Amino acid sequence: MSTLSGIAGLVRIENCPRSETVVRMRELTPPTWRHDEVFGRYCSLSEHIDAPAREVYEYLADTRSLAEWTLSVRGLTETGEPGLWVGDEMLCGDSTRIYTRTVANPDPMTVDYHCAWDQGEHLWMIYLMRVVDAGPVLDRPGAVVLWTNCRHPHYDRNPWPELATSPDRPWVGDFWDLFHAGHRTELENLKRICEHRHANGLPVTPDWSEVDAD
């Protein structure tokens, strides 16, 4: 007897003929989607970058790159705790401190940014990124970058309101509906930076001692 027989709701060719499966897939593919249906719990993006995948990965894996390709993270410096960086999140006008730790794995070329506003003890904002060689998946040179954010409960409520720079400062979760647009802009920044440097024979990851503060 199949070990799957006691699991309710499974849809497999054994219990759902092809004709019914196609009908079901069409029902699950409406012509339009509400914003919250697409981005309510997860925000996922992807982009092709015409630069070597390994070089794109190495650039992303260097925490200092965040000050170049993100919209508003600036002034990153390493704290006294190895691997933990702190900078300014300029999204709200006045400076909010953002803490980040980069967890990178060179084999699958994954880069996860563990971040939080105001404090560095609990890095609950996690930006999950993977760089893929575009050759096998798109039959073209370059890299594909996959990026997903999950809607952690803290996006809906700031657990540390006493640490806010001002009582009326917006919270990061107030921008969740704009995450896709904001991250799309940042992903396009990443693409332009990597492609420009690669096309001009420059290393994708710069010599940080020569990078302007702006």
Side-chain angles (χ1 to χ4, degrees):
M1 184 173 63
S2 170
T3 58
L4 304 177
S5 59
I7 303 176
L10 289 184
V11 179
R12 306 173 71 234
I13 197 66
E14 288 81 3
N15 65 1
C16 188
R18 176 183 176 278
S19 58
E20 293 181 21
T21 300
V22 172
V23 170
R24 177 183 175 84
M25 289 189 293
R26 293 193 185 281
E27 291 174 348
L28 293 173
T29 311
T32 59
W33 301 81
R34 298 193 313 271
H35 186 276
D36 66 292
E37 290 178 318
V38 181
F39 305 117
R41 297 181 62 191
Y42 310 97
C43 179
S44 296
L45 306 91
S46 56
E47 183 61 270
H48 173 264
I49 296 177
D50 189 7
R54 181 60 58 180
E55 293 186 35
V56 174
Y57 160 78
E58 290 172 350
Y59 177 65
L60 287 171
D62 193 315
T63 303
R64 291 169 290 189
S65 70
L66 289 168
E68 292 193 328
W69 65 268
T70 66
L71 283 167
S72 52
V73 175
R74 300 294 182 266
L76 285 165
T77 57
E78 194 164 13
T79 68
E81 182 178 333
L84 181 66
W85 293 67
V86 63
D88 296 320
E89 169 54 78
M90 309 301 294
L91 187 63
C92 299
D94 60 343
S95 177
T96 288
R97 301 298 272 170
I98 184 169
Y99 293 80
T100 183
R101 180 184 299 279
T102 303
V103 180
N105 190 327
D107 293 329
M109 292 195 291
T110 57
V111 180
D112 300 338
Y113 299 114
H114 295 236
C115 308
W117 283 15
D118 303 327
Q119 53 79 38
E121 293 292 322
H122 182 37
L123 304 179
W124 59 273
M125 298 163 50
I126 303 180
Y127 300 74
L128 306 167
M129 306 186 79
R130 181 175 182 183
V131 181
V132 178
D133 184 347
V137 296
L138 291 180
D139 194 23
R140 61 187 296 194
V144 174
V145 176
L146 310 174
W147 179 4
T148 293
N149 273 76
C150 303
R151 188 167 183 168
H152 191 286
H154 289 348
Y155 280 115
D156 295 325
R157 183 184 63 84
N158 181 4
W160 303 277
E162 71 280 3
L163 300 179
T165 51
S166 64
D168 58 348
R169 184 200 67 182
W171 177 235
V172 59
D174 298 339
F175 301 100
W176 179 267
D177 287 347
L178 301 176
F179 263 40
H180 186 268
H183 290 174
R184 168 55 56 192
T185 302
E186 292 179 320
L187 201 48
E188 291 173 355
N189 285 346
L190 177 68
K191 177 180 174 71
R192 291 186 174 98
I193 291 169
C194 293
E195 290 185 347
H196 170 82
R197 289 175 176 162
H198 176 63
N200 287 277
L202 302 170
V204 172
T205 302
D207 179 347
W208 297 109
S209 67
E210 299 178 357
V211 174
D212 294 335
D214 62 359

